[in-house]
Amino acid sequence: HTNADVADPGVSDALAEQGSARLTETTERLLTISPENPIGLYHLATIRLYQNRFDEAIRTVQHALERDPASSRARNVLAIAYERTFQPDLAEAEFRSSINRNPDDWVSYNNYGIFLLGRNRVSDAREQFQRAISLNPENVRGFAGMSEALRQEGKNRDAEKWYQKALRLDPTVKRN
């Protein structure tokens, strides 16, 4: 399984949006004009990740990070690609690097929490979701992640409370 499509449907939805024809066309135009543009490279890597072209995604996002080493979004794409290619140690290193470089990036905490849930490191995952929620109290995925972590621990009543908080923020959120 993958951290994007099992633990957090929202990440899959975001990746699906990245794969849209319009974004693909815009990204290709940007890279034609400016082949080294780190934003274009990031989007291309994300599209390749969505297309399950993981090796291309890794090479492309590494190239983007050479141009912009501080990009948390690119580091998250790299971490997810590493996770999907069965390189969990590299994935974890990238999540940690992203968080160390940008400790206020709540999305990195969410993604790292999803990754940790997939590794049955539930307590560590809860800690990441809690950090994400403290940085962004309207973070639906953080609440849903906390709910899933508590459910995995067998704390169903607490899990339901967190899920209800997520529903208040987004009535369309699905259980993990």
Side-chain angles (χ1 to χ4, degrees):
H1 69 265
T2 65
N3 62 342
D5 58 14
V6 172
D8 188 351
V11 174
S12 291
D13 293 346
L15 291 176
E17 291 168 15
Q18 294 289 323
S20 74
R22 184 168 164 240
L23 180 60
T24 301
E25 179 184 330
T26 303
T27 299
E28 288 171 356
R29 262 189 297 179
L30 174 61
L31 290 173
T32 299
I33 296 167
S34 179
E36 300 297 309
N37 183 290
I39 296 169
L41 291 167
Y42 156 76
H43 284 294
L44 180 60
T46 304
I47 291 165
R48 295 297 179 252
L49 182 67
Y50 174 69
Q51 294 170 332
N52 295 325
R53 294 163 63 180
F54 304 127
D55 291 337
E56 288 178 57
I58 290 169
R59 282 192 304 274
T60 304
V61 78
Q62 285 172 333
H63 193 63
L65 285 166
E66 289 169 8
R67 307 291 171 276
D68 182 8
S71 173
S72 294
R73 296 299 173 262
R75 289 207 180 278
N76 276 263
V77 167
L78 183 56
I80 293 167
Y82 280 149
E83 192 271 341
R84 289 188 178 183
T85 56
F86 308 102
Q87 302 179 77
D89 293 342
L90 292 175
E92 183 154 8
E94 287 303 327
F95 282 126
R96 288 180 180 265
S97 176
S98 180
I99 288 167
N100 287 337
R101 287 173 179 266
N102 189 355
D104 294 331
D105 181 34
W106 58 273
V107 173
S108 291
Y109 289 107
N110 271 353
N111 288 338
Y112 188 32
I114 293 164
F115 169 80
L116 293 168
L117 271 181
R119 304 244 140 352
N120 294 317
R121 292 171 53 193
V122 180
S123 177
D124 293 337
R126 276 194 301 121
E127 183 179 318
Q128 300 308 313
F129 292 128
Q130 191 61 54
R131 287 180 183 166
I133 292 166
S134 71
L135 290 168
N136 178 2
E138 295 183 9
N139 171 7
V140 174
R141 295 293 158 220
F143 286 105
M146 283 292 288
S147 174
E148 177 61 19
L150 289 163
R151 188 193 63 73
Q152 287 185 22
E153 289 179 324
K155 299 176 181 174
N156 293 330
R157 185 172 291 138
D158 289 338
E160 184 60 27
K161 288 178 187 174
W162 284 95
Y163 179 66
Q164 290 303 317
K165 290 177 185 181
L167 278 177
R168 280 195 288 280
L169 293 170
D170 178 357
T172 66
V173 71
K174 303 278 189 263
R175 289 188 195 277
N176 294 332

